């Protein structure tokens, strides 16, 4: 498995965990006033980002995109960390 595909897999698994599913996710979306449409948009955007990660060649990971400050590698890992952060927040909300 290439590094780019490994990162895409990490991102997919971070998003597909228990915290992002079920009633807690729906309650969170309703709380924010956006409902099921927001969930569909989130899932689609997440899928697009995952496909973009997986399409990168490992050599491209060190490239900084035009106008950017971080490499694709840094951006990809940042997205994984962000998904894990929100999964943790949702897990805490589920306990309450």
């Amino acid at each position: 498995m290439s590094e780019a595909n490994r990162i895409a897999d990490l991102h997919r698994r971070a998003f597909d965990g228990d915290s992002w599913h079920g009633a807690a996710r729906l309650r969170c979306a309703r709380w924010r006033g956006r409902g099921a449409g927001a969930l569909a948009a989130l899932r689609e955007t997440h899928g697009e980002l995952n496909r973009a990660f997986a399409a990168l060649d490992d050599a491209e990971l060190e490239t900084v995109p035009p106008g950017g400050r971080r490499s694709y590698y840094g951006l990809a890992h940042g997205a994984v960390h962000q998904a894990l952060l929100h999964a943790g927040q949702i897990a805490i909300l589920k306990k309450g």
Side-chain angles (χ1 to χ4, degrees), residues 12-79:
R12 180 194 54 76
R13 288 187 293 140
F15 184 78
D16 286 343
D18 290 339
S19 294
W20 288 102
H21 289 71
R25 184 176 71 169
L26 188 56
R27 279 195 308 271
C28 186
R30 285 186 182 146
W31 175 76
R32 298 191 53 82
R34 294 186 175 93
L39 298 176
L42 177 63
R43 182 162 294 286
E44 177 56 30
T45 301
H46 177 82
E48 288 175 13
L49 187 57
N50 243 11
R51 288 186 291 278
F53 290 158
L56 289 172
D57 180 287
D58 282 355
E60 292 176 291
L61 289 174
E62 296 306 318
T63 303
V64 175
R69 294 180 301 173
R70 292 180 182 82
S71 67
Y72 286 114
Y73 183 85
L75 293 170
H77 275 285

